[in-house]
Amino acid sequence: MDNSEINQVTQEYGANEIQVLEGLEAVRKRPGMYISSTGPRGLHHLVYEIVDNAIDEALAGYCDKIEVDILPGEIIRVKDNGRGIPVGIQPKMGIPAVTVVFTVLHAGGKFGNGSYEFSGGLHGVGASVVNALSEWLEVKVSDGKNVYRQRYERGEIKSELEIIGETTKKGTEVLFKADKEIFTETDVYEFEVLETRLREQAFLNAGINIILTDKRNQEPITEHFCYKGGVMSFVEYIHKKRSLDVIHEDIIKFSGSFSDEEHVAYAEIALQYNESYNDLILSFANNMHTTDGGTHEEGFKRALTKVMNEYAKKFNLIKENEKALSGDDVREGLTAVISVKLKEAQFESQTKIKLGNTYIKYFIDKLVSEKLMVYLEENPATARAIIEKSLMASRAREAARKARDLARRKNAMDSASMPGKLADCQSKNPQETEIFIVEGDSAGGSAKGGRDRKIQAILPLWGKMLNVEKARLDRVYGNDKLMPVITALGCGIGEDFDISKLRYNRVIIMADADVDGSHIRTLLLTFFFRFMRPLIEQGHIYIAQPPLFRLTKNKTHIYAFSDSERDRIIEQLGGKCDIQRYKGLGEMDPEQLWETTMNPETRIMLKVEMEDAIAADEIFTILMGDKVEPRREFIEKNAKYAQNLDI
Ligand code: TSJ
């Protein structure tokens, strides 16, 4: 490397921009501090960390194509056509900048201001983290002249940066294999999981090409994502995928930027209304999904409510003496995508992905207020369709209040206000109690017999399934399947929800491992997601895991929870043994149910995460919606894993 190259790198990359914080041993010692988990989710995060770096290069304007390959042997390859990570000597460390990127924690251009205007969130600095957690990692950099290569093993340099060939191209390529010593499983990359995340990134960075290829099998599978329409394409895609009919053709879009002495921000917002009663607002800050919303969402919601009311008043769509539209009213049937890019994004914490920069609220409020009013005035047919829908929502909400009051009065007149079938626990201390929601009377019987009656309550479910998709709140109040759940939990739904009134710390769904069981799980999860969302967010919802088999040899019983576990146990027992397959919970006697599924000391339970509930909600929409075609398509496409999906 000659001096001019070194100078170029030092000037543009800047030694001061690289901060040395910690060694990579720390990452291997406590991986949980740096990635979400050492399970399948963490494994996928490795891929996102690398891809994020390439996307930053695209954001800086130097790259428009990113290829991601899942290769045989649990290897991932990510390749871009950017400038290539600088290979010149980084003066402070005395080693090539690319080596610094992979071997020094928190090193990277992101901490400077340079070309990385809009990055520097929580993500994307993780090349060294991925390196530390990989059995091996190789980087190849093409700078238009040479191809450079370096290899690392578990974060340590295995070969010096060397020139391995000549090229006229530019770009960066990273290959890695996650470390079995760190991850519980390294062979569980899921095409659909990567596909969802990469598609999302393609929506958020309009025009960028992302190509995902699964080369693990004979026939490779490829998906190419490139959306010229950006966030508008995102909204269009959501409506198509969920087969929701829209109430106006055009997708409404705003974008704008904001700057003063201290701040620089840019926002893009797209929205459209559909015929459903639900809303979906997806918000992002610096390409990161802000699952808990934050100031950008707040600003958007405030402006939307304000403008809709102003417009409705101005054109006499609501009368002077009529109630104003509420936020919930104007969001009914809304799908919106909000993407902001800003310098120095603040998030509330590592786990709460919620944007905190207060000025963003005023920026988005102003942007939407100004542009939405103009849009509505220029598109009166669309405006009318939306306002009419909001008015219907408002009336339905009023009807729901009446239905709720009626339900309350009826309840108050009952001798005991709890549902008749509830077998309550003795303890009245919600800190220590749990409730099992069980489908079917025979299973309910076993559960009542087997429980620890001090802290465990049982609620058997009966009655007909409600199609929540087509029901507003007013119908839920009258539903004989869901009302007992609402009453037993005690915390109300929707606007009335009050978590401090929750009567049990853990709400456990216990259903058979068959299609009907899966139905009831999906229904309940969708119901909790739509009407008692904080229960999921705050980790109160669980799914019981009853065994599928009982293996008996010489009078000892071993339970198996999956086919593969059954096979493993049979092998351990040396072949022959008696196998009982449980077709339903009702087949287990109370002692067996207690021992395998209910005993807090020994049971396995799945804690429901928001992602599970979102998936349930999606499935519910598709399975219960009234269009046959998408449902058939969905079932065919997912037949393979719909069985094990087991949400
Ligand atoms: F970091 C990484 F290994 F994860 C990674 C980085 C992985 C992949 C697939 C791509 C990249 C990457 C980094 N692509 N492009 C870049 N660009 C730079 O690192 C770069 C290039 C030039 C300059 C400059 O100022 O001249 C600055 C930077 C940060």
Side-chain angles (χ1 to χ4, degrees):
M1 226 172 287
D2 64 27
N3 261 327
S4 66
E5 255 184 285
I6 294 172
N7 280 336
Q8 190 194 334
V9 168
T10 51
Q11 262 167 25
E12 290 182 22
Y13 203 60
N16 300 334
E17 291 182 41
I18 292 177
Q19 299 178 352
V20 181
L21 296 175
E22 275 180 280
L24 289 190
E25 321 82 72
V27 182
R28 290 184 61 82
K29 255 192 214 129
R30 303 180 65 188
M33 294 271 290
Y34 300 90
I35 50 167
S36 57
S37 82
T38 52
R41 191 192 297 200
L43 194 69
H44 290 90
H45 269 174
L46 298 182
V47 184
Y48 309 153
E49 285 291 348
I50 297 299
V51 172
D52 283 347
N53 281 279
I55 286 176
D56 282 342
E57 183 73 356
L59 277 178
Y62 297 102
C63 144
D64 66 359
K65 184 163 134 190
I66 302 169
E67 290 167 88
V68 180
D69 296 332
I70 318 172
L71 303 176
E74 304 162 23
I75 297 161
I76 296 290
R77 178 168 59 202
V78 184
K79 192 175 166 189
D80 74 19
N81 64 349
R83 292 166 294 179
I85 307 177
V87 292
I89 301 292
Q90 202 266 329
K92 194 165 161 195
M93 306 282 295
I95 55 176
V98 57
T99 309
V100 176
V101 166
F102 282 101
T103 59
V104 180
L105 197 56
H106 285 187
K110 296 198 136 195
F111 282 78
N113 292 322
S115 54
Y116 280 75
E117 287 255 292
F118 291 128
S119 33
L122 290 177
H123 71 300
V125 290
S128 62
V129 171
V130 176
N131 193 21
L133 302 178
S134 293
E135 188 184 310
W136 59 261
L137 181 148
E138 268 181 35
V139 57
K140 285 186 202 153
V141 174
S142 301
D143 66 355
K145 284 190 245 142
N146 299 309
V147 184
Y148 297 81
R149 192 190 82 121
Q150 187 163 41
R151 184 181 166 93
Y152 317 86
E153 289 176 15
R154 305 198 156 97
E156 285 175 24
I157 297 169
K158 274 293 143 182
S159 71
E160 293 309 320
L161 187 68
E162 57 183 344
I163 293 176
I164 57 163
E166 292 182 10
T167 183
T168 54
K169 295 191 175 141
K170 289 187 180 185
T172 304
E173 177 178 333
V174 173
L175 273 152
F176 68 93
K177 180 173 172 141
D179 194 348
K180 280 193 188 61
E181 292 176 6
I182 304 283
F183 292 93
T184 54
E185 296 151 289
T186 51
D187 59 349
V188 290
Y189 289 110
E190 272 191 61
F191 188 84
E192 285 80 8
V193 172
L194 294 176
E195 177 185 345
T196 303
R197 164 74 186 225
L198 295 177
R199 175 180 280 115
E200 171 191 291
Q201 291 300 315
F203 284 130
L204 295 172
N205 302 283
I208 187 173
N209 289 275
I210 304 182
I211 301 149
L212 172 64
T213 310
D214 188 345
K215 296 188 174 162
R216 287 175 294 190
N217 301 311
Q218 287 269 310
E219 272 298 297
I221 305 167
T222 288
E223 287 278 354
H224 184 149
F225 314 112
C226 179
Y227 301 101
K228 293 252 156 57
V231 289
M232 283 172 96
S233 306
F234 205 161
V235 169
E236 181 186 40
Y237 176 82
I238 290 166
H239 281 156
K240 262 217 189 94
K241 187 171 168 225
R242 295 193 170 205
S243 59
L244 290 164
D245 288 329
V246 297
I247 66 166
H248 56 98
E249 280 311 311
D250 291 345
I251 298 172
I252 305 171
K253 196 208 156 175
F254 314 119
S255 61
S257 53
F258 174 92
S259 70
D260 63 15
E261 295 83 38
E262 293 162 74
H263 312 293
V264 194
Y266 173 74
E268 280 182 290
I269 298 169
L271 62 111
Q272 191 178 31
Y273 285 81
N274 61 67
E275 285 182 345
S276 82
Y277 306 128
N278 313 113
D279 68 278
L280 180 67
I281 300 178
L282 292 176
S283 66
F284 300 84
N286 293 347
N287 292 338
M288 205 165 49
H289 187 185
T290 35
T291 46
D292 290 318
T295 48
H296 48 351
E297 267 190 40
E298 286 166 29
F300 172 76
K301 288 181 183 171
R302 183 151 84 172
L304 185 72
T305 311
K306 197 172 59 191
V307 171
M308 289 300 177
N309 276 295
E310 261 172 42
Y311 183 90
K313 284 234 172 72
K314 186 166 172 186
F315 292 93
N316 265 327
L317 300 169
I318 39 178
K319 307 283 168 305
E320 278 301 325
N321 56 353
E322 252 183 321
K323 251 181 132 185
L325 299 168
S326 73
D328 286 324
D329 295 337
V330 301
R331 288 193 296 272
E332 195 177 277
L334 170 72
T335 299
V337 175
I338 305 168
S339 171
V340 296
K341 298 199 171 121
L342 67 158
K343 262 189 181 176
E344 284 147 16
Q346 295 160 2
F347 297 96
E348 289 202 343
S349 75
Q350 282 271 354
T351 46
K352 270 233 174 302
I353 310 177
K354 186 172 180 182
L355 186 65
N357 306 60
T358 43
Y359 77 95
I360 293 290
K361 181 169 165 181
Y362 302 102
F363 161 42
I364 302 287
D365 185 344
K366 189 161 179 288
L367 174 75
V368 176
S369 298
E370 287 172 6
K371 300 210 169 170
L372 182 59
M373 200 50 166
V374 174
Y375 184 92
L376 295 176
E377 297 200 352
E378 287 176 359
N379 298 273
T382 300
R384 245 158 223 282
I386 298 171
I387 300 279
E388 233 146 67
K389 182 162 177 70
S390 301
L391 283 168
M392 300 259 281
S394 173
R395 285 173 206 138
R397 214 171 302 285
E398 199 49 47
R401 270 186 213 109
K402 290 198 178 119
R404 179 196 60 201
D405 293 344
L406 202 72
R408 277 205 189 130
R409 271 203 295 281
K410 227 167 82 182
N411 243 340
M413 287 195 297
D414 282 348
S415 51
S417 57
M418 281 297 130
K421 294 220 177 190
L422 174 73
D424 213 350
C425 52
Q426 290 158 350
S427 169
K428 294 287 168 244
N429 173 10
Q431 296 292 325
E432 61 174 7
T433 60
E434 42 192 48
I435 182 168
F436 286 81
I437 302 177
V438 188
E439 167 75 345
D441 274 339
S442 67
S446 290
K448 280 181 193 172
R451 67 183 171 140
D452 170 357
R453 57 179 59 240
K454 184 167 181 299
I455 60 158
Q456 293 180 327
I458 310 294
L459 179 67
L461 281 192
W462 74 104
K464 68 172 190 315
M465 183 88 106
L466 172 74
N467 188 345
V468 182
E469 172 59 22
K470 294 209 204 112
R472 283 199 183 97
L473 226 62
D474 50 333
R475 292 266 311 278
V476 170
Y477 277 114
N479 181 260
D480 55 0
K481 194 158 198 141
L482 294 173
M483 266 319 283
V485 177
I486 298 169
T487 312
L489 297 193
C491 53
I493 58 174
E495 287 167 17
D496 296 333
F497 183 85
D498 178 359
I499 200 149
S500 71
K501 297 214 172 88
L502 181 64
R503 298 179 64 244
Y504 310 93
N505 183 36
R506 279 186 286 269
V507 179
I508 304 161
I509 303 169
M510 188 154 74
D512 292 339
D514 59 10
V515 177
D516 288 344
S518 166
H519 239 112
I520 194 75
R521 270 189 296 276
T522 308
L523 169 78
L524 285 170
L525 280 188
T526 303
F527 170 67
F528 290 135
F529 177 71
R530 300 235 175 121
F531 299 111
M532 301 188 182
R533 192 166 300 179
L535 285 189
I536 302 172
E537 289 167 342
Q538 296 174 33
H540 290 285
I541 310 285
Y542 295 82
I543 294 173
Q545 300 287 290
L548 294 178
F549 304 98
R550 187 175 74 166
L551 309 168
T552 309
K553 189 166 188 178
N554 306 331
K555 294 205 175 119
T556 45
H557 307 303
I558 302 178
Y559 296 94
F561 294 82
S562 67
D563 289 356
S564 60
E565 197 181 4
R566 174 200 57 194
D567 296 342
R568 203 168 54 240
I569 293 169
I570 294 174
E571 208 177 284
Q572 277 166 10
L573 294 177
K576 279 211 175 105
C577 59
D578 181 53
I579 304 170
Q580 185 191 354
R581 184 190 175 91
Y582 291 119
K583 290 201 201 67
L585 292 163
E587 286 181 7
M588 263 182 264
D589 61 39
E591 289 71 34
Q592 287 170 348
L593 195 58
W594 163 256
E595 203 179 309
T596 59
T597 314
M598 296 176 71
N599 180 355
E601 303 285 315
T602 53
R603 71 188 174 197
I604 312 167
M605 288 201 306
L606 276 184
K607 187 184 211 151
V608 173
E609 310 269 351
M610 271 302 277
E611 284 157 38
D612 305 321
I614 292 167
D617 184 64
E618 237 165 60
I619 288 171
F620 205 84
T621 312
I622 294 164
L623 292 183
M624 304 298 268
D626 42 21
K627 289 206 200 58
V628 177
E629 196 50 28
R631 176 166 48 218
R632 193 176 59 81
E633 252 171 44
F634 179 86
I635 291 170
E636 276 171 10
K637 189 157 171 250
N638 295 287
K640 176 170 99 274
Y641 69 100
Q643 296 279 331
N644 338 324
L645 194 60
D646 198 48
I647 41 158

